[in-house]
Short mmCIF file of all heavy atoms in Angstrom, two decimals:
data_model
loop_
_atom_site.label_atom_id
_atom_site.label_comp_id
_atom_site.label_asym_id
_atom_site.label_seq_id
_atom_site.Cartn_x
_atom_site.Cartn_y
_atom_site.Cartn_z
N TYR A 1 -14.63 124.08 65.91
CA TYR A 1 -15.78 123.56 66.66
C TYR A 1 -15.75 122.04 66.61
O TYR A 1 -15.27 121.45 65.65
CB TYR A 1 -17.10 123.98 66.00
CG TYR A 1 -17.43 125.44 66.09
CD1 TYR A 1 -16.85 126.36 65.23
CD2 TYR A 1 -18.36 125.89 67.02
CE1 TYR A 1 -17.18 127.70 65.29
CE2 TYR A 1 -18.69 127.23 67.08
CZ TYR A 1 -18.10 128.13 66.22
OH TYR A 1 -18.43 129.45 66.29
N CYS A 2 -16.34 121.42 67.62
CA CYS A 2 -16.55 119.98 67.62
C CYS A 2 -17.87 119.72 68.32
O CYS A 2 -18.14 120.30 69.37
CB CYS A 2 -15.42 119.27 68.35
SG CYS A 2 -15.65 117.47 68.48
N TYR A 3 -18.69 118.87 67.75
CA TYR A 3 -19.94 118.51 68.41
C TYR A 3 -19.63 117.68 69.64
O TYR A 3 -18.75 116.82 69.62
CB TYR A 3 -20.88 117.78 67.45
CG TYR A 3 -21.34 118.70 66.36
CD1 TYR A 3 -20.87 118.58 65.07
CD2 TYR A 3 -22.23 119.73 66.64
CE1 TYR A 3 -21.25 119.46 64.07
CE2 TYR A 3 -22.62 120.62 65.66
CZ TYR A 3 -22.13 120.48 64.37
OH TYR A 3 -22.51 121.36 63.40
N ALA A 4 -20.35 117.94 70.72
CA ALA A 4 -20.05 117.33 72.02
C ALA A 4 -20.20 115.81 72.02
O ALA A 4 -19.58 115.13 72.83
CB ALA A 4 -20.93 117.96 73.10
N ASP A 5 -21.01 115.27 71.11
CA ASP A 5 -21.18 113.82 71.06
C ASP A 5 -20.44 113.18 69.88
O ASP A 5 -20.66 112.02 69.56
CB ASP A 5 -22.66 113.44 71.06
CG ASP A 5 -23.46 114.16 70.00
OD1 ASP A 5 -22.96 115.15 69.43
OD2 ASP A 5 -24.61 113.76 69.75
N ASN A 6 -19.54 113.93 69.27
CA ASN A 6 -18.72 113.41 68.18
C ASN A 6 -17.75 112.36 68.75
O ASN A 6 -17.05 112.64 69.72
CB ASN A 6 -17.93 114.56 67.55
CG ASN A 6 -17.12 114.17 66.35
OD1 ASN A 6 -16.78 113.02 66.16
ND2 ASN A 6 -16.81 115.14 65.53
N PRO A 7 -17.71 111.17 68.16
CA PRO A 7 -16.76 110.16 68.65
C PRO A 7 -15.31 110.63 68.59
O PRO A 7 -14.47 110.09 69.31
CB PRO A 7 -16.98 108.98 67.70
CG PRO A 7 -18.34 109.18 67.14
CD PRO A 7 -18.56 110.67 67.08
N ALA A 8 -15.00 111.63 67.78
CA ALA A 8 -13.63 112.13 67.67
C ALA A 8 -13.27 113.13 68.76
O ALA A 8 -12.14 113.61 68.82
CB ALA A 8 -13.43 112.77 66.30
N LEU A 9 -14.21 113.45 69.66
CA LEU A 9 -13.98 114.46 70.69
C LEU A 9 -12.74 114.16 71.53
O LEU A 9 -11.95 115.05 71.82
CB LEU A 9 -15.22 114.60 71.58
CG LEU A 9 -15.11 115.61 72.72
CD1 LEU A 9 -14.86 117.02 72.18
CD2 LEU A 9 -16.37 115.59 73.56
N LYS A 10 -12.57 112.90 71.91
CA LYS A 10 -11.41 112.53 72.73
C LYS A 10 -10.10 112.88 71.99
O LYS A 10 -9.16 113.39 72.58
CB LYS A 10 -11.47 111.03 73.04
CG LYS A 10 -10.37 110.55 73.95
CD LYS A 10 -10.55 109.06 74.25
CE LYS A 10 -9.39 108.53 75.08
NZ LYS A 10 -9.54 107.10 75.33
N GLY A 11 -10.06 112.60 70.70
CA GLY A 11 -8.88 112.93 69.89
C GLY A 11 -8.65 114.43 69.80
O GLY A 11 -7.51 114.89 69.85
N TYR A 12 -9.73 115.20 69.66
CA TYR A 12 -9.60 116.67 69.63
C TYR A 12 -9.05 117.19 70.95
O TYR A 12 -8.22 118.09 70.97
CB TYR A 12 -10.95 117.32 69.34
CG TYR A 12 -11.38 117.27 67.90
CD1 TYR A 12 -12.59 116.67 67.54
CD2 TYR A 12 -10.62 117.83 66.90
CE1 TYR A 12 -13.00 116.63 66.22
CE2 TYR A 12 -11.02 117.80 65.58
CZ TYR A 12 -12.21 117.20 65.25
OH TYR A 12 -12.61 117.16 63.95
N ARG A 13 -9.53 116.61 72.04
CA ARG A 13 -9.03 117.05 73.35
C ARG A 13 -7.54 116.74 73.50
O ARG A 13 -6.78 117.55 74.05
CB ARG A 13 -9.84 116.39 74.47
CG ARG A 13 -11.20 117.03 74.62
CD ARG A 13 -11.99 116.47 75.78
NE ARG A 13 -13.11 117.35 76.06
CZ ARG A 13 -14.32 116.91 76.38
NH1 ARG A 13 -14.57 115.62 76.46
NH2 ARG A 13 -15.29 117.78 76.62
N LYS A 14 -7.10 115.59 73.01
CA LYS A 14 -5.68 115.25 73.05
C LYS A 14 -4.87 116.21 72.18
O LYS A 14 -3.79 116.66 72.56
CB LYS A 14 -5.46 113.82 72.55
CG LYS A 14 -5.82 112.74 73.52
CD LYS A 14 -5.75 111.40 72.80
CE LYS A 14 -4.92 110.42 73.53
NZ LYS A 14 -4.92 109.10 72.87
N LEU A 15 -5.42 116.51 71.01
CA LEU A 15 -4.73 117.41 70.07
C LEU A 15 -4.55 118.80 70.67
O LEU A 15 -3.45 119.36 70.63
CB LEU A 15 -5.53 117.49 68.77
CG LEU A 15 -4.93 118.29 67.64
CD1 LEU A 15 -3.64 117.65 67.13
CD2 LEU A 15 -5.93 118.41 66.49
N VAL A 16 -5.61 119.36 71.22
CA VAL A 16 -5.52 120.71 71.77
C VAL A 16 -4.59 120.73 72.99
O VAL A 16 -3.83 121.68 73.18
CB VAL A 16 -6.93 121.29 72.08
CG1 VAL A 16 -7.50 120.75 73.36
CG2 VAL A 16 -6.91 122.80 72.08
N LYS A 17 -4.60 119.67 73.79
CA LYS A 17 -3.70 119.59 74.94
C LYS A 17 -2.24 119.51 74.48
O LYS A 17 -1.36 120.13 75.08
CB LYS A 17 -4.07 118.36 75.79
CG LYS A 17 -3.26 118.25 77.05
CD LYS A 17 -3.71 117.05 77.88
CE LYS A 17 -2.87 116.95 79.14
NZ LYS A 17 -3.26 115.79 79.95
N ARG A 18 -2.01 118.75 73.42
CA ARG A 18 -0.65 118.59 72.88
C ARG A 18 -0.02 119.94 72.53
O ARG A 18 1.18 120.15 72.69
CB ARG A 18 -0.71 117.70 71.65
CG ARG A 18 0.60 117.55 70.93
CD ARG A 18 0.45 116.69 69.72
NE ARG A 18 1.74 116.36 69.17
CZ ARG A 18 1.98 115.30 68.45
NH1 ARG A 18 1.03 114.44 68.17
NH2 ARG A 18 3.18 115.08 67.98
N PHE A 19 -0.85 120.87 72.04
CA PHE A 19 -0.34 122.17 71.62
C PHE A 19 -0.49 123.25 72.69
O PHE A 19 -0.12 124.40 72.46
CB PHE A 19 -1.05 122.62 70.34
CG PHE A 19 -0.54 121.92 69.11
CD1 PHE A 19 -1.24 120.86 68.57
CD2 PHE A 19 0.64 122.32 68.50
CE1 PHE A 19 -0.79 120.21 67.44
CE2 PHE A 19 1.11 121.67 67.38
CZ PHE A 19 0.40 120.62 66.84
N GLY A 20 -1.08 122.92 73.84
CA GLY A 20 -1.23 123.91 74.91
C GLY A 20 -2.48 124.76 74.77
O GLY A 20 -2.60 125.80 75.42
N GLY A 21 -3.42 124.33 73.95
CA GLY A 21 -4.66 125.08 73.75
C GLY A 21 -5.69 124.74 74.80
O GLY A 21 -5.38 124.15 75.84
N ARG A 22 -6.95 125.11 74.52
CA ARG A 22 -8.00 124.88 75.50
C ARG A 22 -9.37 124.81 74.85
O ARG A 22 -9.54 125.21 73.70
CB ARG A 22 -7.99 125.96 76.56
CG ARG A 22 -8.38 127.33 76.00
CD ARG A 22 -8.17 128.42 77.04
NE ARG A 22 -8.67 129.68 76.53
CZ ARG A 22 -9.80 130.25 76.91
NH1 ARG A 22 -10.56 129.69 77.82
NH2 ARG A 22 -10.18 131.40 76.41
N GLU A 23 -10.32 124.33 75.62
CA GLU A 23 -11.72 124.42 75.24
C GLU A 23 -12.18 125.80 75.71
O GLU A 23 -12.13 126.10 76.89
CB GLU A 23 -12.54 123.32 75.93
CG GLU A 23 -12.19 121.93 75.47
CD GLU A 23 -12.99 120.84 76.17
OE1 GLU A 23 -14.16 121.09 76.55
OE2 GLU A 23 -12.45 119.74 76.32
N SER A 24 -12.61 126.64 74.79
CA SER A 24 -12.93 128.02 75.16
C SER A 24 -14.42 128.30 75.31
O SER A 24 -14.78 129.32 75.87
CB SER A 24 -12.31 128.99 74.16
OG SER A 24 -12.81 128.74 72.87
N ALA A 25 -15.28 127.40 74.81
CA ALA A 25 -16.72 127.63 74.96
C ALA A 25 -17.48 126.34 74.78
O ALA A 25 -17.03 125.43 74.08
CB ALA A 25 -17.19 128.67 73.94
N TYR A 26 -18.64 126.30 75.41
CA TYR A 26 -19.56 125.18 75.24
C TYR A 26 -20.89 125.79 74.83
O TYR A 26 -21.47 126.59 75.58
CB TYR A 26 -19.71 124.39 76.55
CG TYR A 26 -20.44 123.08 76.38
CD1 TYR A 26 -19.74 121.90 76.21
CD2 TYR A 26 -21.83 123.03 76.36
CE1 TYR A 26 -20.39 120.68 76.04
CE2 TYR A 26 -22.50 121.83 76.19
CZ TYR A 26 -21.78 120.66 76.04
OH TYR A 26 -22.44 119.47 75.86
N LEU A 27 -21.34 125.48 73.63
CA LEU A 27 -22.58 126.06 73.09
C LEU A 27 -23.65 124.98 73.09
O LEU A 27 -23.43 123.89 72.55
CB LEU A 27 -22.34 126.58 71.68
CG LEU A 27 -21.15 127.53 71.53
CD1 LEU A 27 -20.89 127.82 70.07
CD2 LEU A 27 -21.39 128.81 72.29
N ARG A 28 -24.80 125.29 73.64
CA ARG A 28 -25.85 124.28 73.78
C ARG A 28 -26.84 124.34 72.63
O ARG A 28 -27.28 125.41 72.23
CB ARG A 28 -26.56 124.49 75.11
CG ARG A 28 -25.59 124.27 76.28
CD ARG A 28 -26.19 124.53 77.62
NE ARG A 28 -27.39 123.73 77.81
CZ ARG A 28 -28.42 124.13 78.53
NH1 ARG A 28 -28.41 125.29 79.12
NH2 ARG A 28 -29.47 123.33 78.67
N GLN A 29 -27.18 123.18 72.11
CA GLN A 29 -28.21 122.99 71.09
C GLN A 29 -28.06 123.98 69.93
O GLN A 29 -28.98 124.70 69.59
CB GLN A 29 -29.60 123.10 71.72
CG GLN A 29 -29.83 122.06 72.79
CD GLN A 29 -31.20 122.16 73.43
OE1 GLN A 29 -32.02 122.99 73.07
NE2 GLN A 29 -31.44 121.30 74.40
N VAL A 30 -26.91 123.95 69.28
CA VAL A 30 -26.62 124.92 68.23
C VAL A 30 -26.85 124.43 66.80
O VAL A 30 -26.99 125.24 65.90
CB VAL A 30 -25.17 125.46 68.33
CG1 VAL A 30 -25.00 126.27 69.58
CG2 VAL A 30 -24.15 124.35 68.27
N SER A 31 -26.85 123.12 66.59
CA SER A 31 -26.98 122.61 65.22
C SER A 31 -27.86 121.37 65.16
O SER A 31 -27.71 120.46 65.96
CB SER A 31 -25.62 122.25 64.64
OG SER A 31 -24.84 123.39 64.41
N LYS A 32 -28.72 121.37 64.16
CA LYS A 32 -29.51 120.18 63.88
C LYS A 32 -28.77 119.40 62.81
O LYS A 32 -28.49 119.91 61.73
CB LYS A 32 -30.89 120.59 63.38
CG LYS A 32 -31.82 119.43 63.13
CD LYS A 32 -33.20 119.99 62.89
CE LYS A 32 -34.05 119.12 62.04
NZ LYS A 32 -35.34 119.74 61.78
#
């Protein structure tokens, strides 16, 4: 999981793309 406003999100997207993976779900308002 990665929080949508995490500054590291761009890096996670690069990482998953590098390995051929994907974003499989977007969960709204799940954690305080």
Side-chain angles (χ1 to χ4, degrees):
Y1 290 80
C2 176
Y3 293 107
D5 51 346
N6 185 337
L9 179 61
K10 184 178 176 182
Y12 283 122
R13 285 184 166 140
K14 283 172 128 176
L15 184 66
V16 79
K17 184 178 180 181
R18 175 181 190 155
F19 283 100
R22 66 188 186 105
E23 294 179 30
S24 59
Y26 191 96
L27 308 172
R28 296 177 56 212
Q29 299 179 2
V30 294
S31 291
K32 183 170 153 183

